[in-house]
Amino acid sequence: MKKTLLALAVLGLPAFAAAQSNVTIYGIGDVSLNHFSGSNGGLQSNGSVNRVDSSAGNNLAGSRLGFKGMEDLGGGLSADFKLEMGITLDTGRSEQGGRLFGRAARVGLNSGYGSVHLGRQDTPAFELLGGVDPMGVGLAGSAANIHAGNKGLYPVGRLGGVPQQGWMGLAAFRADNSVRYDTPTVQGFNGSVLYGVGESTGRNGDIGIASISYSNGPLFVGYVHIHDNSANVVNPATVGYNQKSDALGATYDFGPVKLHGLIGSKKAHSAGFEDKGDYYLLGLSAPLGQSSQVLASWNRSEGKNSNANSADQFSVAYLHSMSKRTKLYTSFAKIKNKGNAAFGVDGYDGHDGKPFDYSTLFNVGMMHAF
């Protein structure tokens, strides 16, 4: 009850709401020491940096503070909500562009026929990547570094000078103004459909995502399709951006080792320019005793009509659980660009106007969940 009342006070809700729902406060604190280095044309000047980091893109898990609750409405029906903010512990600032609840802000209904949620929420594409990539979506070798579309989808990683957001150019990690339906799990199968409304004429800025997955024992297989007119990329009204993407991912746990794999492709059109690319991921994870784990992965972005899309990433990581809620970790990744590609680990993509030929990131960190 004390946690409930505290959460209500923080959210500014009246105390009588405590009698209607059970509110849980939760969070993660994750901070790491990072060393980044990069080279363009053999030049190292200003190509390296050390820092204390707590961002979601470079740590085991993004630091956060959240509030969630559920109310039983009877007859197999329930209502729930989730408000989750991203926090950079190294500065105390909000992540996700300074949003108050940038990680999640949604409400929904659940029944035996599935669930429907409205608001800002994770996309099925983001969940598939997080479930298949052994590095998750945060360690130094995260597949998001070269599959996320924020570097290299267009010449020197830019379209009209605007960095693209999203995974594999598929869609944003999270969708604003969205409606999402998730089916109940039947015989191991589960499906999701999400539609993000661009709130402009002509469906500009809209995102449509559909996924299906199967899980049975050691096997997981998932597929996602995205049709993206997202205004998060550029202004579709003036540039006419349109992209269709597909990805198929799978994992299989043999016991001593778990294998991870993903293949994907995308085709984008904008102002008469067509961009095509394929994406690959191979990885493994293996336990070391009762409390440790080793991870490794290889990722490739392969441009079909532009060498600005091609790069390879190699990564390794080690995790050690000190308890169920506290972990120590270290990870290393290297990206090797081809041609004019501008992919970069840790968000650094070049120096003096020239993209790095390669970049590396090494980190050591600690994560604590509460």
Side-chain angles (χ1 to χ4, degrees):
M1 180 60 73
K2 289 183 179 180
K3 276 190 174 183
T4 299
L5 294 176
L6 175 60
L8 294 171
V10 172
L11 294 174
L13 298 179
F16 65 77
Q20 300 179 15
S21 60
N22 179 24
V23 179
T24 300
I25 304 174
Y26 65 95
I28 291 176
D30 190 334
V31 183
S32 65
L33 299 174
N34 290 261
H35 176 74
F36 168 88
S37 65
S39 173
N40 48 9
L43 300 176
Q44 283 287 126
S45 59
N46 296 323
S48 65
V49 63
N50 297 312
R51 70 184 190 185
V52 176
D53 198 357
S54 182
S55 63
N58 304 315
N59 293 53
L60 179 60
S63 297
R64 69 198 70 174
L65 176 64
F67 309 89
K68 61 183 179 180
M70 178 176 290
E71 179 186 9
D72 187 352
L73 301 175
L77 189 66
S78 65
D80 68 58
F81 82 94
K82 183 177 183 180
L83 297 171
E84 188 173 290
M85 60 180 70
I87 304 172
T88 57
L89 293 190
D90 51 323
T91 63
R93 298 175 180 173
S94 296
E95 280 218 274
Q96 292 80 44
R99 299 169 186 253
L100 178 59
F101 294 109
R103 296 183 63 92
R106 62 169 175 81
V107 64
L109 288 173
N110 312 279
S111 73
Y113 298 98
S115 62
V116 177
H117 289 88
L118 296 90
R120 176 173 170 82
Q121 52 196 317
D122 292 347
T123 70
F126 176 53
E127 292 172 347
L128 176 62
L129 180 61
V132 170
D133 185 0
M135 301 295 171
V137 289
L139 288 171
S142 168
N145 289 332
I146 66 173
H147 295 338
N150 56 340
K151 297 289 186 291
L153 284 181
Y154 294 90
V156 197
R158 298 291 189 269
L159 176 60
V162 180
Q164 181 167 351
Q165 306 295 318
W167 166 52
M168 291 176 57
L170 297 179
F173 283 173
R174 300 173 181 92
D176 291 338
N177 310 310
S178 64
V179 180
R180 174 169 173 166
Y181 169 70
D182 293 276
T183 70
T185 300
V186 178
Q187 301 272 325
F189 287 93
N190 181 270
S192 300
V193 178
L194 179 144
Y195 194 84
V197 182
E199 298 187 344
S200 61
T201 60
R203 295 171 57 191
N204 289 327
D206 290 6
I207 303 174
I209 305 175
S211 72
I212 187 171
S213 64
Y214 173 75
S215 181
N216 184 14
L219 175 66
F220 169 82
V221 180
Y223 165 79
V224 66
H225 172 77
I226 289 87
H227 190 170
D228 186 5
N229 297 313
S230 175
N232 292 328
V233 182
V234 290
N235 185 350
T238 58
V239 182
Y241 178 86
N242 179 280
Q243 180 170 290
K244 294 181 179 180
S245 308
D246 298 272
L248 177 68
T251 62
Y252 193 91
D253 193 346
F254 289 94
V257 64
K258 184 176 182 178
L259 297 183
H260 306 247
L262 179 141
I263 57 173
S265 66
K266 62 101 176 168
K267 181 186 292 185
H269 300 268
S270 182
F273 176 76
E274 182 177 84
D275 187 33
K276 298 179 180 179
D278 292 334
Y279 305 88
Y280 307 93
L281 178 156
L282 287 176
L284 62 85
S285 56
L288 294 178
Q290 297 295 318
S291 58
S292 298
Q293 190 178 28
V294 63
L295 316 170
S297 69
W298 164 78
N299 288 271
R300 168 169 289 178
S301 174
E302 188 173 287
K304 291 300 184 181
N305 60 338
S306 170
N307 62 5
N309 283 20
S310 299
D312 288 288
Q313 176 179 257
F314 305 90
S315 58
V316 292
Y318 173 78
L319 313 179
H320 176 71
S321 297
M322 301 186 71
S323 70
K324 290 184 178 180
R325 298 187 293 127
T326 302
K327 289 185 178 181
L328 302 178
Y329 63 88
T330 182
S331 61
F332 172 83
K334 178 177 180 177
I335 290 180
K336 175 66 175 178
N337 284 314
K338 301 178 182 179
N340 294 322
F343 298 98
V345 183
D346 197 32
Y348 293 87
D349 60 351
H351 175 59
D352 292 336
K354 184 176 181 181
F356 285 130
D357 296 326
Y358 72 86
S359 58
T360 65
L361 178 67
F362 170 76
N363 64 15
V364 178
M366 173 180 175
M367 184 205 78
H368 176 73
F370 61 90

